[in-house]
Amino acid sequence: MKRIVIVGASAGGLATAEALRRFGYEGTVTLVGDEPYLPYDRPPLSKQILSGEWQPDRIQLRGRSELDSLGLDLRLGMRATGLDMAARAVTLADGTLVRYDGLVVATGVRPRVLPDCEGVAGVHTLRTLDDALALKARLRAGRRLVIVGAGFVGAEVAAVARGLGVEVTVLEAGPVPLAQAVGEQAGRFLARIHRDHGVALRTGVTAAGVLSSGREVTGVIPSGGRVIPAEDVLIAIGSVPNTDWLEGSGLTVDNGLVCDEFSAAAPGVYALGDVARWYNPLFGTAMRVEHRTHAAEQAVAVARNLLASEPGLRRPFAPVPYFWSDQYEMKIQAYGHLHGHDEAVIVHEDSRGLLVAYRTDDRLSGVLAVGVPPKTLRGWRSLIAAGTTWHHAVSEAADAAFAGTALP
């Protein structure tokens, strides 16, 4: 291969470039990113950047000299607009064609938005550094923030805003925050924490519209209720995979770029991170994971498979997904595939922490913990990776509880 093109210059794209060099690839590596900044880390945007604890330069993943040492053909501030599979070429926004021998799609996701909000000052989404800095500049004690959506981004911003003295109202369409992702038990636990910190959490409520005056936001119209005044509104109602540029390419797109167990979407074309919907043989299902650690792990697998001298030398990518979230003094961590679980059981709960195990069919498929020692959580990860049956996992948890630990 003479040239490998990586479209997406965030953590996953950069990790792919580094892995290619580490595995001995000496050809051209073109890294395309639609933002003008050097690759940076996104998780701190809703936490340390928003709170002012960190300055923007601290989230830079590599300095200029480190990037130079990789010998990259770096195309920043340039969006990919099309893909011609027959010509093996990516089209960029300026009309440039970049031909490739191998292609890696790492274009991530973009936030969903509400209609009629474009150009209204004080209405925010949170995905990029510019988004975070714009919101940070407006969060001050005594101001009013309405967050539409109580997912992880909305919950993290609510926690930071309360720490800054902002009046926070969160609107959540479901009866329990995060129930689809982590189950009702964990959702109720997290809801209580937010209410204890002064967040006005309103469940079973959607945003019917956003009010503005002179193109400046003034409030949110909730479904079935009176207007909630606000100087700022954060739309945090999920994300959409960035696959528009692949339209007409012949690749299969269905809630992300569809890939096999090797993370391949087509011969010589791989995908990773938030945009990739790949088949995970460990769980026997297709999944798309929007978490930083996952993107870095998949990047290494993609680089290895892309450079394999023959198809039979490729390895399936079969991880136990991991994610975390920092809210107030809590660290929330989870391993496994929690989405679509059949049962969630509280293994341990007290005023300081929570541990929930998840069953899918007849096996342990995931675990979520708040305030639990990392060593304990890694033990649960091992059970998930081993394909432990639900009965066996619950038996181990019961034995540990009888011994006074309440944890395996």
Side-chain angles (χ1 to χ4, degrees), residues 144-146 217-220 228-233:
R144 296 166 295 185
L145 169 68
V146 173
V217 69
T218 58
V220 173
I228 305 171
E231 285 78 36
D232 290 279
V233 176

Side-chain angles (χ1 to χ4, degrees), residues 145-150 154-155 158 168-172 194 199-203:
L145 169 68
V146 173
I147 300 174
V148 183
V168 178
T169 299
V170 176
L171 306 183
E172 167 55 39
H194 280 280
V199 173
L201 176 59
R202 299 176 59 177
T203 58

Side-chain angles (χ1 to χ4, degrees), residues 170-186:
V170 176
L171 306 183
E172 167 55 39
V176 179
L178 293 168
Q180 277 194 322
V182 301
E184 291 190 4
Q185 297 95 326

Side-chain angles (χ1 to χ4, degrees), residues 104-364:
V104 178
V105 177
T107 43
V109 297
R110 63 185 182 276
R112 296 183 186 275
V113 296
L114 292 176
D116 303 322
C117 289
E118 186 176 354
V120 178
V123 177
H124 309 266
T125 56
L126 182 53
R127 175 66 183 175
T128 69
L129 176 58
D130 288 342
D131 293 339
L133 293 177
L135 180 56
K136 173 181 178 294
R138 296 176 65 96
L139 294 183
R140 298 188 298 275
R143 287 175 67 90
R144 296 166 295 185
L145 169 68
V146 173
I147 300 174
V148 183
F152 284 109
V153 170
E156 289 173 358
V157 172
V160 170
R162 285 301 299 141
L164 296 173
V166 177
E167 295 181 22
V168 178
T169 299
V170 176
L171 306 183
E172 167 55 39
V176 179
L178 293 168
Q180 277 194 322
V182 301
E184 291 190 4
Q185 297 95 326
R188 284 194 293 267
F189 180 90
L190 298 174
R192 176 174 59 79
I193 297 296
H194 280 280
R195 287 182 171 122
D196 288 348
H197 282 82
V199 173
L201 176 59
R202 299 176 59 177
T203 58
V205 179
T206 60
V210 173
L211 292 179
S212 63
S213 176
R215 304 304 292 170
E216 181 86 22
V217 69
T218 58
V220 173
I221 308 169
S223 57
R226 294 189 298 178
V227 171
I228 305 171
E231 285 78 36
D232 290 279
V233 176
L234 173 68
I235 310 301
I237 53 175
S239 57
V240 180
N242 285 320
T243 55
D244 293 359
W245 67 285
L246 300 174
E247 185 176 348
S249 67
L251 295 175
T252 302
V253 172
D254 181 9
N255 183 31
L257 179 55
V258 176
C259 300
D260 62 16
E261 67 269 31
F262 304 105
S263 302
V269 179
Y270 290 78
L272 61 90
D274 299 1
V275 74
R277 182 168 174 259
W278 97 108
Y279 180 80
N280 186 335
L282 179 61
F283 295 89
T285 188
M287 57 179 67
R288 188 172 64 82
V289 179
E290 295 186 26
H291 297 290
R292 164 73 169 82
T293 303
H294 168 81
E297 291 177 351
Q298 195 167 22
V300 175
V302 162
R304 182 183 290 113
N305 287 340
L306 187 56
L307 296 179
S309 57
E310 56 185 75
L313 297 177
R314 298 183 303 168
R315 303 179 194 172
F317 181 58
V320 177
Y322 167 77
F323 73 84
W324 82 96
S325 176
D326 293 326
Q327 300 174 31
Y328 307 108
E329 67 283 354
M330 304 184 302
K331 178 169 283 293
I332 303 161
Q333 302 179 80
Y335 281 108
H337 185 51
L338 280 54
H339 182 75
H341 58 266
D342 296 317
E343 183 181 4
V345 173
I346 295 177
V347 178
H348 174 78
E349 181 178 13
D350 59 27
S351 59
R352 298 171 298 173
L354 174 76
L355 192 146
V356 182
Y358 299 82
R359 176 183 66 83
T360 301
D361 295 328
D362 64 347
R363 65 173 286 182
L364 174 70

